[in-house]
Amino acid sequence: MGEKLAIFGGDPVRDSMLPYGKQTIDDQDIQKVVETLKSDYITTGPALREFEKGVADYVGAAYAVAFSNGTAALHAACFAAGIGKGDEVITTPLTFVASANCVWYTGGRPVFADVDPQTYNIDPVSIESLVTRKTKAIIPVDYSGQPADYEKIQAIADKYELVIIEDAAHAIGAEYRGKKVGSYSDMTMFSFHPVKHITTGEGGVIATNNRDYYEKLMMFRTHGITRDVEKLLEKRHPWEYEMQFLGYNYRMTDIQAALGSSQLKKLDRFVAKRRKYVKDYNEAFATMNYIGIQEQLADTASSYHLYVIRLDGPLKGLRKEVFEALRAENIGVNVHYIPVHTQPYYKERGYTKGLCPVAEHVYEQILSLPLYSGMSPRDVQDVVKAVKKVTAYYVNNAGGS
Ligand SMILES: *Cc1c(COP(=O)(O)O)cnc(C)c1O
């Protein structure tokens, strides 16, 4: 008999809840924000331009356009890609709803490709099987921080003339075949929500090498307005601006951007920390054959937004029990993600269970463990201890399938 689980009244491994993800903000970050608050511009000023240049340089893209959040950035990318009524866009169901919702915003319809059973990333074979004459774009998601299989996806995009909008909300700092994520897709989205690698509170960026996309994104962010004299359709007065299409107010403030620039300086350190903790987890779980670890392709260097385990063998079918028992131990486990096509909004629109059997199957077994740069090695050991404690109990006592 092992130690009594907290869920049955035993002592929890930790006294306070360890979240699955959290921002790491220090005094230097706060100082930068305060300086911006005291400056002349608190929106659309120099701090915003500095942040955009910083992100573009870091990811190796010609341009970066910042938005109020990652979802707004994806909306803008769908607009720039020309997604409209009747168009289809292929994405993965094992993602946050934003990856697919952005397609509806511009009148298109998301189509869900299945995932690879080992990496959980979108499966290029499934993508190609779903291409129709209506297909306009692919939105691969770099699930958990591992880049999707870009060369295969690019080959499909080239063959059928599709735009690639890479959802790299999980993958800033990651690399595919030695190339930084953000440097190779038509457009790449990064999110700066507090659980992501670096934060601006709320915020997002589209990185691109394409001048035409860049200009559309810039205008989309601010009502479809241009002040560029060269671009005015009807030149009249020097003070005029023109609204040329229906855009939105999706601007990021300089307050957020100042935080972002300060955070960006620490990104490599944050990623190194995440990689170190992932190594610790992998080593701890290597001998526990009922805990499956996500496969990492030789071509990719993940930046690890998430650490996802898979409950195998005798733990199959006990995800709910293990989830609740770990929460009781004060380990803030989570599940990423409920397959998007099984959400009520999607069901109402004709998407059915069974559409993506691999993703649905993977979903039943996965659990995300805490992973963020502000964790201490001690926190990591607490997670390992709790996982060992809880899984030992269920392997020995619960008699799962
Ligand atoms: C976080 C995230 C987004 C964008 O989220 P915002 O909260 O709008 O910045 C999009 N896709 C995925 C996969 C995400 O994890």
Side-chain angles (χ1 to χ4, degrees):
M1 280 300 286
E3 253 182 292
K4 195 173 185 185
L5 301 191
I7 199 163
F8 302 135
D11 291 331
V13 167
R14 290 175 61 90
D15 295 333
S16 63
M17 183 63 83
L18 183 73
Y20 89 89
K22 190 187 165 193
Q23 71 278 9
T24 304
I25 290 178
D26 64 15
D27 289 343
Q28 194 186 20
D29 294 322
I30 293 166
Q31 190 53 40
K32 289 290 174 198
V33 170
V34 170
E35 279 170 24
T36 303
L37 282 167
K38 291 176 175 172
S39 74
D40 289 338
Y41 293 93
I42 58 170
T43 193
T44 328
L48 181 68
R49 289 190 289 275
E50 185 192 328
F51 179 54
E52 290 177 329
K53 180 162 191 323
V55 173
D57 289 349
Y58 181 89
V59 304
Y63 310 101
V65 182
F67 293 87
S68 45
N69 56 69
T71 306
L74 284 172
H75 182 184
C78 285
F79 172 83
I83 311 302
K85 227 178 189 57
D87 293 338
E88 293 177 355
V89 177
I90 300 172
T91 188
T92 168
L94 211 58
T95 184
F96 184 53
V97 292
S99 315
N101 288 355
C102 59
V103 177
W104 298 112
Y105 297 160
T106 61
R109 186 177 175 87
V111 172
F112 295 99
D114 213 340
V115 302
D116 178 278
Q118 303 305 325
T119 65
Y120 317 154
N121 260 331
I122 194 165
D123 177 3
V125 174
S126 180
I127 294 177
E128 186 156 15
S129 75
L130 293 166
V131 173
T132 70
R133 287 166 65 185
K134 294 178 183 168
T135 310
K136 281 279 168 61
I138 306 169
I139 305 182
V141 176
D142 301 327
Y143 178 83
S144 79
Q146 174 169 219
D149 201 341
Y150 170 74
E151 279 187 16
K152 287 186 189 148
I153 296 170
Q154 185 65 60
I156 297 165
D158 289 344
K159 187 165 161 191
Y160 300 99
E161 294 181 30
L162 310 175
V163 179
I164 298 179
I165 302 169
E166 184 175 350
D167 179 339
H170 298 182
I172 195 163
E175 289 177 15
Y176 180 88
R177 297 205 168 171
K179 289 185 285 194
K180 272 257 156 65
V181 166
S183 65
Y184 50 78
S185 289
D186 293 309
M187 288 179 267
T188 304
M189 186 280 284
F190 298 104
S191 165
F192 306 111
H193 181 275
V195 297
K196 307 290 162 62
H197 300 74
I198 57 170
T199 191
T200 58
E202 295 278 358
V205 152
I206 298 291
T208 183
N209 293 315
N210 180 307
R211 173 112 206 147
D212 182 47
Y213 291 148
Y214 166 71
E215 287 175 355
K216 288 199 171 92
L217 295 166
M218 289 290 281
M219 286 174 69
F220 190 80
R221 172 173 81 179
T222 181
H223 298 279
I225 286 173
T226 182
R227 291 173 186 278
D228 185 343
V229 183
E230 307 271 291
K231 295 208 176 59
L232 297 182
L233 301 174
E234 308 160 10
K235 274 188 201 172
R236 287 169 300 198
H237 306 295
W239 58 84
E240 281 195 1
Y241 56 85
E242 276 181 359
M243 179 194 142
Q244 298 179 346
F245 58 79
L246 188 63
Y248 293 74
N249 177 357
Y250 277 165
R251 294 187 296 266
M252 176 186 274
T253 66
D254 275 39
I255 307 163
Q256 293 164 293
L259 177 58
S261 291
S262 183
Q263 290 260 299
L264 195 56
K265 292 197 184 100
K266 300 165 185 135
L267 177 56
D268 284 338
R269 208 160 20 92
F270 288 173
V271 171
K273 206 70 166 293
R274 287 171 178 268
R275 286 178 174 153
K276 163 77 174 73
Y277 291 155
V278 165
K279 202 163 152 276
D280 293 345
Y281 278 148
N282 286 346
E283 281 168 10
F285 303 140
T287 55
M288 300 166 70
N289 54 16
Y290 43 85
I291 292 187
I293 284 164
Q294 220 185 327
E295 185 186 338
Q296 301 293 323
L297 301 180
D299 291 340
T300 64
S302 177
S303 58
Y304 293 106
H305 164 53
L306 300 173
Y307 186 82
V308 179
I309 60 168
R310 180 166 173 161
L311 303 175
D312 269 329
L315 296 177
K316 240 183 183 168
L318 295 173
R319 197 252 314 260
K320 179 173 169 285
E321 287 76 4
V322 173
F323 177 96
E324 286 173 343
L326 283 168
R327 282 279 177 99
E329 302 292 341
N330 279 325
I331 304 299
V333 287
N334 226 307
V335 174
H336 298 96
Y337 294 89
I338 300 164
V340 177
H341 65 282
T342 66
Q343 295 285 359
Y345 181 89
Y346 283 82
K347 280 199 264 183
E348 284 162 20
R349 278 153 190 81
Y351 298 81
T352 53
K353 224 172 170 189
L355 208 59
C356 298
V358 180
E360 291 167 33
H361 188 79
V362 166
Y363 160 67
E364 295 294 339
Q365 290 177 265
I366 52 177
L367 208 52
S368 304
L369 302 184
L371 182 67
Y372 57 96
S373 47
M375 278 174 88
S376 70
R378 177 70 205 276
D379 293 332
V380 176
Q381 289 319 309
D382 284 347
V383 176
V384 168
K385 195 171 154 193
V387 169
K388 285 189 172 164
K389 179 182 170 185
V390 165
T391 58
Y393 174 83
Y394 285 104
V395 166
N396 295 323
N397 302 297
S401 59

